[in-house]
Amino acid sequence: MPNLEQYLEQGSVVSFLQRAGMAPQSIQHHRAFASNWGWDDGTSAYVTLWMHDIHDPHGIPKWSQSDPSLRDDLAGQRGSRAAELYSILVRYSGRPVRVILQKRKADRSKWRSGLSQARGLDPVAWYPLVEGDTVLLQRGSLPGRRDVSVDGQPMPSRPPSFALRETRPEQGKFRQRVAAKTGNRCALSGAPQEVCDAAHFPWADWRTDNQAHHGVLLRRDLHAALDCGLIEIDRLGRIIVSEYLASMSDDYRALHGREVPVGKS
């Protein structure tokens, strides 16, 4: 597990850009330049990330930003800097990017002298990937493929689940039945039923198949992953996790090969 704070020290943004190998002719020694969120010297990209904005910093660190032109919470300089950062990451999609980490001062009364308490250059490259109108930036590697499992096999193909768009009249009774199979806990994570859904197995028809052996209780994020094909369950109850989901978190990766109770077929 990475400890990103170990890379924090004292130093200016420019000094870390120099250390990262930015072309000297692209570096400018004034505050406006150092206040940018991203830089492109024509061959490499460099960005600065606040530690509190990084998701899963102790697992597989990642950061994301939606298209600033679609957001109404960014204006003025913040909007311009966000737009330039987004543009840089789109251009460098799939290529390594150097990241300067920043930790914000906890005492807001000291923000007038600058927000940053410490900075550091991450020695590991991060990789951007465009997903619709969002850029995902992940440390160490690109996210895996959506249509390939952790084993390198094609993910089973099926239409999107009706759970995404239709009401299920028998859902209440179905939920009680499947919850009872696993002690009112998620069959994979052990999460309490309050944060779980009753999920139909991929081969079951929600209109007619609403007995206990037609589904399983899953934490809501796992149910959503099942519905959109990032996780599959075969007829033996074996869990198949896509490369993409596994690359998001080691917790998801650990689910691959696990089994849930299926019951009679």
Side-chain angles (χ1 to χ4, degrees):
M1 298 292 184
N3 176 16
L4 298 181
E5 293 210 9
Q6 69 180 305
Y7 305 120
L8 297 179
E9 53 183 293
Q10 298 301 312
S12 67
V13 169
V14 167
S15 69
F16 288 115
L17 288 173
Q18 291 172 327
R19 192 184 304 180
M22 189 174 190
Q25 64 271 22
S26 297
I27 295 176
Q28 301 174 32
H29 296 270
H30 55 77
R31 185 171 182 176
F33 176 80
S35 297
N36 288 332
W37 298 353
W39 302 264
D40 178 2
D41 65 6
T43 58
S44 300
Y46 313 83
V47 304
T48 181
L49 302 180
W50 290 103
M51 296 285 290
H52 62 270
D53 288 333
I54 295 173
H55 312 302
D56 197 18
H58 301 296
I60 303 175
K62 58 189 71 69
W63 173 93
S64 61
Q65 177 182 291
S66 57
D67 185 344
S69 68
L70 303 177
R71 297 172 57 180
D72 58 10
D73 61 325
L74 293 171
Q77 287 187 336
R78 293 186 72 249
S80 299
R81 290 168 181 162
E84 178 61 16
L85 173 60
Y86 183 82
S87 176
I88 289 171
L89 293 177
V90 169
R91 290 198 300 273
Y92 280 83
S93 181
R95 299 160 59 188
V97 169
R98 298 305 305 274
V99 170
I100 298 172
L101 304 165
Q102 295 203 79
K103 184 175 182 179
R104 192 166 64 185
K105 295 175 182 174
D107 187 350
R108 290 174 175 259
S109 67
K110 298 181 179 180
W111 283 10
R112 284 193 175 184
S113 61
L115 299 181
S116 183
Q117 174 183 319
R119 300 184 180 94
L121 177 66
D122 191 338
V124 178
W126 293 53
Y127 292 80
L129 178 70
V130 179
E131 296 183 323
D133 59 8
T134 299
V135 170
L136 174 69
L137 190 60
Q138 182 167 292
R139 186 178 192 257
S141 64
L142 279 169
R145 295 165 290 181
R146 292 174 179 266
D147 57 351
V148 176
S149 75
V150 172
D151 291 336
Q153 301 299 313
M155 291 293 290
S157 178
R158 62 186 176 92
S161 169
F162 279 92
L164 297 175
R165 57 183 185 273
E166 294 192 31
T167 301
R168 298 176 172 186
E170 295 294 316
Q171 189 71 4
K173 294 180 180 178
F174 175 62
R175 179 187 176 89
Q176 292 178 348
R177 293 165 184 156
V178 300
K181 291 200 303 183
T182 52
N184 296 317
R185 296 275 177 171
C186 169
L188 288 172
S189 70
Q193 62 177 336
E194 289 82 359
V195 296
C196 296
D197 290 333
H200 279 80
F201 290 131
W203 60 87
D205 186 335
W206 68 271
R207 299 174 183 82
T208 57
D209 300 339
N210 290 293
Q211 300 305 310
H213 60 274
H214 292 134
V216 68
L217 197 69
L218 291 178
R219 198 175 65 205
R220 291 192 179 111
D221 62 317
L222 300 177
H223 186 198
L226 179 66
D227 279 346
C228 64
L230 295 179
I231 285 177
E232 286 294 344
I233 303 176
D234 68 18
R235 287 184 174 271
L236 297 177
R238 180 176 178 270
I239 304 300
I240 304 168
V241 179
S242 69
E243 272 189 358
Y244 178 82
L245 192 64
S247 71
M248 295 293 104
S249 167
D250 287 337
D251 290 339
Y252 288 131
R253 180 180 295 276
L255 298 177
H256 188 74
R258 293 269 305 276
E259 294 183 0
V260 297
V262 176
K264 69 177 183 179
S265 59

